[in-house]
Amino acid sequence: MSEPQVRSEVGPLRTVVLHRPGTELKRLTPRNSDQLLFDAIPWVDRAQREHDAFAEVLRGRGVEVLLLRDLLAEALADERARAAAVLAAVDELRVGTDIADALSSHLAGRDDAALAEVLIGGMTFEELPAGEGRSLVRRMHHPHDFAIEPLPNLLFTRDSSIWVGERVAVGSLALPARRREAALTDLIYAYHPRFAHAGRAYGAHSAPVEGGDVLLLDPGVVAVGVGERTTPAGAESFARSLFADDLAHTVLAVPIAQARASMHLDTVCTMVDRDAVVMYPAVQHSLQAYVLRPQDGGIDVAGPEPFLTAAAEAMGIDALRVIDTGLDPVTAEREQWEDGNNTLAVAPGVVVAYERNVETNARLEEAGIEVLRIDGSELGTGRGGPRCMSCPTHRDAL
């Protein structure tokens, strides 16, 4: 069992947290999929097979795979974790006092695995404990409305926590459909024995920062996308926290379009080698960065300047190698939408990528990058690739 530590995007990957999709995906319908941030209704059995294959590719490269559902159930063995989980799941303002009390008692009586299932998969009013029929709240809700919302986006474990050095930053997630994910992640790191000695680098109740926007370009150099999910206040607060803990000497705040296609920085750019990125060519020359460095107990903000220039300077190299998505503007746009930029490095120059991004994968291989292809036809319905679906907790140093 390796101690958590991550200082780069491409150091040899040793341990990662994944979430195998389950009941929460089966809750998706055409009526609620937009609210729950999915662009289509996934075929859940197929999504599970694809995810199992993804996990096996990682294990085949010597990576220890931890499943979030198991970590959660094991953390719930601590009574403090159970109390915190129930408190986060039961919204008294939404379901009313009577149902909240009955539901809290019902959840408290479930075993650890069953409670973890409800916390992730949610619960409808039809599934509530019997005896609450006279409740106005229950009678006025459709039986299939959610008393506890499911968390289908928990599949994307990258966003709710980010390891920087030996510390973990618990993401502050911007959209209502995802906020309770941070509460579950928080209690795993607080109460699971494996993470008993982990320090914190950021808190879930701070300004919005999501892990998909955070790239560890080099030890001490962190890029933070600022757009639909991470706010300027979040990027600045995160930078201050990293500087205070001596986890970074430079943070690059990178404005990105506030659009579904580019919800996170890792939808347009990820690292594939020590000095190489795969990048959506439409943003290659327009992407800018504000350069933040510690100064006299505060921060100094310079720029903006071209992202690639600022990144190379902070990393102490002449230039980053850039591998384009696709072969032409139309292919590039298609493959960026299909997560062609969202690769997971398992070692320098070795990445996991969706097989459907044929042209981008070919470009990576032409540049000397080994591509481990996985199927993602159903996993990708929530708009996320291999990097989104993984939270590294240990990488070897470069």
Side-chain angles (χ1 to χ4, degrees):
M1 184 173 68
S2 56
E3 288 295 322
Q5 57 173 318
V6 180
R7 289 184 168 80
S8 75
E9 291 291 319
V10 300
L13 183 59
R14 297 304 179 201
T15 306
V16 68
V17 176
L18 307 182
H19 173 60
R20 186 178 191 267
T23 303
E24 68 281 1
L25 287 196
K26 295 180 180 179
R27 303 284 199 185
L28 291 166
T29 68
R31 184 166 56 93
N32 65 30
S33 59
D34 282 349
Q35 177 188 346
L36 293 174
L37 311 180
F38 269 68
D39 294 323
I41 309 302
W43 177 11
V44 179
D45 289 347
R46 177 62 179 267
Q48 290 174 329
R49 291 196 297 272
E50 291 174 357
H51 195 273
D52 291 344
F54 174 38
E56 282 307 307
V57 166
L58 296 178
R59 292 187 183 107
R61 290 295 174 127
V63 180
E64 178 189 21
V65 174
L66 306 176
L67 295 178
L68 187 142
R69 191 184 308 268
D70 295 340
L71 294 174
L72 177 59
E74 290 157 4
L76 291 171
D78 189 307
E79 289 299 326
R80 296 169 297 175
R82 293 178 67 86
V86 172
L87 183 64
V90 179
D91 184 352
E92 183 176 323
L93 295 180
R94 185 166 180 273
V95 300
T97 303
D98 290 344
I99 287 182
D101 289 345
L103 183 52
S104 296
S105 297
H106 174 71
L107 294 179
R110 291 201 165 197
D111 64 37
D112 299 338
L115 177 56
E117 180 62 31
V118 173
L119 295 173
I120 295 170
M123 178 177 279
T124 65
F125 279 91
E126 184 179 53
E127 296 165 342
L128 285 173
E132 307 304 319
R134 292 195 296 174
S135 164
L136 176 66
V137 175
R138 186 166 187 168
R139 294 186 66 175
M140 291 191 69
H141 272 284
H142 188 279
H144 294 157
D145 287 344
F146 296 119
I148 298 176
E149 296 277 346
L151 300 176
N153 294 280
L154 202 60
L155 172 65
F156 307 119
T157 56
R158 174 72 57 163
D159 295 327
S160 59
S161 64
I162 316 107
W163 286 85
V164 186
E166 291 85 10
R167 292 177 178 264
V168 62
V170 176
S172 178
L173 305 180
L175 300 183
R178 302 202 64 182
R179 285 177 189 152
R180 194 162 56 84
E181 293 176 45
L184 296 187
T185 305
D186 202 6
L187 69 86
I188 288 172
Y189 292 129
Y191 298 110
H192 195 286
R194 185 175 187 119
F195 305 108
H197 304 296
R200 297 301 181 93
Y202 199 71
H205 301 294
S206 305
V209 173
E210 300 194 0
D213 279 318
V214 178
L215 301 182
L216 308 185
L217 300 178
D218 204 46
V221 182
V222 180
V224 182
V226 179
E228 184 189 54
R229 305 294 180 87
T230 297
T231 65
E236 181 175 302
S237 297
F238 188 45
R240 289 181 183 275
S241 177
L242 296 179
F243 295 151
D245 293 329
D246 199 26
L247 296 171
H249 58 75
T250 305
V251 172
L252 305 178
V254 185
I256 56 176
Q258 296 194 29
R260 177 70 168 157
S262 56
M263 70 184 85
H264 290 131
L265 181 57
D266 68 5
T267 63
V268 295
C269 175
T270 52
M271 292 198 73
V272 295
D273 204 345
R274 299 165 185 262
D275 64 344
V277 295
V278 58
M279 179 177 281
Y280 183 37
V283 304
Q284 179 175 336
H285 300 294
S286 61
L287 210 59
Q288 300 283 301
Y290 292 89
V291 182
L292 282 61
R293 293 190 173 94
Q295 183 181 66
D296 301 327
I299 59 170
D300 175 68
V301 181
E305 59 185 90
F307 166 69
L308 291 172
T309 302
E313 181 181 345
M315 296 168 69
I317 61 177
D318 291 336
L320 275 167
R321 290 188 292 139
V322 178
I323 303 163
D324 288 344
T325 315
L327 291 173
D328 58 75
V330 173
T331 304
E333 185 176 2
R334 285 171 56 87
E335 296 202 357
Q336 185 274 331
W337 176 253
E338 299 289 2
D339 302 301
N341 299 106
N342 197 260
T343 61
L344 170 67
V346 297
V350 183
V351 301
V352 183
Y354 281 153
E355 64 181 358
R356 65 185 175 218
N357 295 307
V358 174
E359 303 298 349
T360 300
N361 293 340
R363 285 217 165 180
L364 286 166
E365 289 176 330
E366 289 168 4
I369 306 300
E370 182 182 357
V371 179
L372 309 176
R373 291 167 172 79
I374 63 169
D375 187 6
S377 60
E378 298 303 313
L379 291 174
T381 55
R383 298 268 68 82
R387 187 179 192 273
C388 287
M389 294 188 297
S390 56
C391 175
T393 66
H394 183 94
R395 285 185 184 274
D396 287 347
L398 288 172

